[in-house]
Amino acid sequence: MTDNRAAFEKFVDVFYTKKRVREAFDFLVAESYVQHNPNIPDGPEAAITALTPKFDGSPDARFDIQRILVDGDLAMVHVRASHPGRPDAAVADIYRFANGRIVEHWDVLQPVPADAVHGHPMF
């Protein structure tokens, strides 16, 4: 049985922290990758093309990992995404594994407001 947690933690480090999109996808994403983000086609190459400018091509962008959850064939990373000139965003990326590879992805993004109606932090 593949250790999805160890593989996912490495993927998160390479992709979000080191911002090496292609290396992360080559390491863990299957050719049959299904993308549920409505702005990116299926397949790893389409995701690499869409995401590289936001990661590799954006040296001042930061993706601070808040938490990683892994449960069987599902994994989620909660991220604080920071890009100069824009409000930060709270991101939850959800992935599904099959045969030790990531085969499916969903994401949820929410801008971090300047003021909230309560004092609870988003992270």
Side-chain angles (χ1 to χ4, degrees), residues 81-117:
S82 302
H83 291 83
R86 306 192 271 197
D88 286 0
V91 180
D93 280 317
I94 303 163
Y95 299 90
R96 186 175 67 83
F97 281 81
N99 301 316
R101 307 283 288 174
I102 291 173
V103 296
E104 202 162 5
H105 168 260
W106 299 260
D107 56 10
V108 181
L109 290 87
Q110 180 179 23
V112 176
D115 296 304
V117 297

Side-chain angles (χ1 to χ4, degrees), residues 4-34:
N4 289 345
R5 174 167 285 283
F8 190 63
E9 286 177 357
K10 179 177 177 181
F11 172 83
V12 167
D13 180 55
V14 173
F15 182 49
Y16 297 92
T17 304
K18 295 177 179 163
K19 301 191 298 184
R20 297 194 310 243
V21 176
R22 180 168 297 281
E23 181 181 337
F25 271 69
D26 287 349
F27 165 66
L28 199 58
V29 176
E31 283 300 316
S32 60
Y33 182 69
V34 175

Side-chain angles (χ1 to χ4, degrees), residues 26-73:
D26 287 349
F27 165 66
L28 199 58
V29 176
E31 283 300 316
S32 60
Y33 182 69
V34 175
Q35 174 63 259
H36 292 276
N37 180 311
N39 301 309
I40 303 173
D42 288 342
E45 199 57 44
I48 291 166
T49 298
L51 297 171
T52 294
K54 295 177 184 186
F55 287 79
D56 292 348
S58 198
D60 294 330
R62 284 196 4 241
F63 303 92
D64 297 317
I65 307 308
Q66 304 299 305
R67 59 194 48 84
I68 294 172
L69 305 170
V70 179
D71 184 12
D73 68 342

